[in-house]
Amino acid sequence: MTPHDPIPLAKPVIGAREHELVGEVLRSGQLSLGPMVERFEHGWCERIGCRNAVATSSGTAGLHLSLLALGIGPGDEVVTSSFSFVASANAILFTGATPVFADVDIDTFNMDPARVEEAITERTRALLIVDIFGYPAEVPALLDIARRHDLAVVEDACQSIDGAYDGTKLGTHGHPAVYGFYANKQLTTAEGGVILTDDDDLAELLRSTRNQGRTDDGGWLVHSRLGYNYRLSDVHCAIGVAQLERLDAMMEGRARVASWYQARVRGIEGVAPMFEGRQTRSWFVYAPRLAEGVDRDRVIERLGERGIAAKPYLPCIHLQPFYREDHGHRRGTFPNTEMISASTIALPFFPEMTEDQVDRVCRELSSALAAERVG
Ligand SMILES: Cc1ncc(COP(=O)(O)O)c(C=O)c1O
């Protein structure tokens, strides 16, 4: 790589082991519903210390199935965060329920428990907790609210793979937690997800609904309930098994790159480093905030001209065109969410990024911000 090569936003780590295991599946002839799926699921149970892992075709599918399995449906309201990827709220819409947003905390970017409490009505049936940018949400406070209002809980930990709150892994708090494995995630299966739960009955139901409503004791063409094809293939799981074997190293790589960024960003005028709090972040993106008044689009454009990918990440859900048009949302309703969403910028971030590349990104960011101040 030369000093002027483009630097992408994200880049998966794929090596010989992924090729070897995918080859093993292809040679076996069993491409779906085979032993590699079980091996992948078992790997997660071991890693997290949870009783069940149910692999799904995507994180979105995992969220949808979890909400359905907890009985969420038409007429229900589910409180969630608008500072998330659109799939969090879409999964609620898929069930026929209505997402109700609660504003986020200005530091953690996760749902503020006080705002969650205010959002609860007599129709609220569940909380969909999101651990955004890999930083764990206030799980104990949110579970306390859920207990007092008799609400089901699903955790969208798609960005917080392998995350924990006060050392307790997500997926072992008594409600299902979902990870996502799209190609930019801490661990990838190209596309995919997993639902983690200690509840054996729930896991059995999820295994049925991801597989067209089939049950273990029925035949292939016996469907006991309405189900979906949300299976994850053995080919995808082969990539996942290889990735699980190297997850520690990939996580360390991300944390190392993040620490380089944090140290440099502190010295750049007009940009605030990412929040470091009591909880350990599962590093997913490096997305610091730009100061108020900075033209973020121009900064992104300037970085792009110098070969550095950057994105205005993350747009809030309630201001997405169809949430405004079909669901009546408008600007001004969730001030913290809107302010954060207008100022965060995702910079190149992947485990194999070098210190020189981080230096180059920060240098270019600094000069783009300086040019903005002048121009
Ligand atoms: C917070 C969050 N929720 C849900 C999803 C959906 O995951 P998938 O793309 O695997 O369906 C993502 C993926 O980016 C995400 O970041």
Side-chain angles (χ1 to χ4, degrees), residues 13 41 98 160 178 225 295:
V13 182
E41 293 180 338
T98 304
S160 189
V178 180
R225 57 177 62 82
D295 184 341

Side-chain angles (χ1 to χ4, degrees), residues 108-304:
T108 66
F109 303 175
N110 286 319
M111 282 198 293
D112 180 340
R115 302 286 87 78
V116 171
E117 190 103 43
E118 286 166 10
I120 291 171
T121 72
E122 72 280 357
R123 289 172 57 197
T124 310
R125 293 287 171 273
L127 303 183
L128 188 118
I129 301 174
V130 185
D131 307 292
I132 207 66
F133 292 176
Y135 194 82
E138 281 307 314
V139 176
L142 295 168
L143 290 186
D144 181 56
I145 293 172
R147 193 179 38 74
R148 284 189 281 106
H149 295 273
D150 195 21
L151 307 176
V153 177
V154 172
E155 190 157 354
D156 179 346
C158 284
Q159 296 194 357
S160 189
I161 288 177
D162 208 37
Y165 187 96
D166 276 352
T168 304
K169 292 270 187 176
L170 310 179
T172 62
H173 286 95
H175 58 268
V178 180
Y179 290 166
F181 304 135
Y182 177 64
N184 66 347
K185 294 293 194 305
Q186 294 92 322
L187 176 149
T188 188
T189 56
E191 296 282 358
V194 73
I195 308 166
L196 305 171
T197 174
D198 279 332
D199 183 331
D200 296 344
D201 294 334
L202 189 78
E204 195 181 323
L205 177 58
L206 292 166
R207 288 183 198 288
S208 170
T209 49
R210 80 167 165 187
N211 187 20
Q212 307 280 21
R214 296 180 174 100
T215 43
D216 280 348
D217 47 6
W220 182 247
L221 291 177
V222 179
H223 304 273
S224 309
R225 57 177 62 82
L226 179 65
Y228 300 79
N229 180 357
Y230 280 168
R231 297 184 301 262
L232 189 63
S233 81
D234 284 59
V235 180
H236 291 88
C237 287
I239 303 173
V241 169
Q243 292 267 297
L244 256 178
E245 289 172 6
R246 63 165 90 236
L247 185 55
D248 283 337
M250 293 194 296
M251 291 301 222
E252 279 163 25
R254 283 181 183 266
R256 187 171 57 239
V257 174
S259 72
W260 291 333
Y261 264 127
Q262 289 286 78
R264 285 156 181 78
V265 160
R266 279 195 183 90
I268 304 177
E269 194 187 331
V271 50
M274 286 186 75
F275 175 68
E276 290 184 48
R278 216 162 55 82
Q279 303 301 325
T280 307
R281 192 185 289 275
S282 164
W283 282 101
F284 165 55
V285 282
Y286 192 75
R289 286 187 66 189
L290 300 183
E292 224 182 306
V294 173
D295 184 341
R296 183 176 56 174
D297 290 342
R298 272 297 294 147
V299 171
I300 291 171
E301 207 176 292
R302 284 179 195 274
L303 289 173

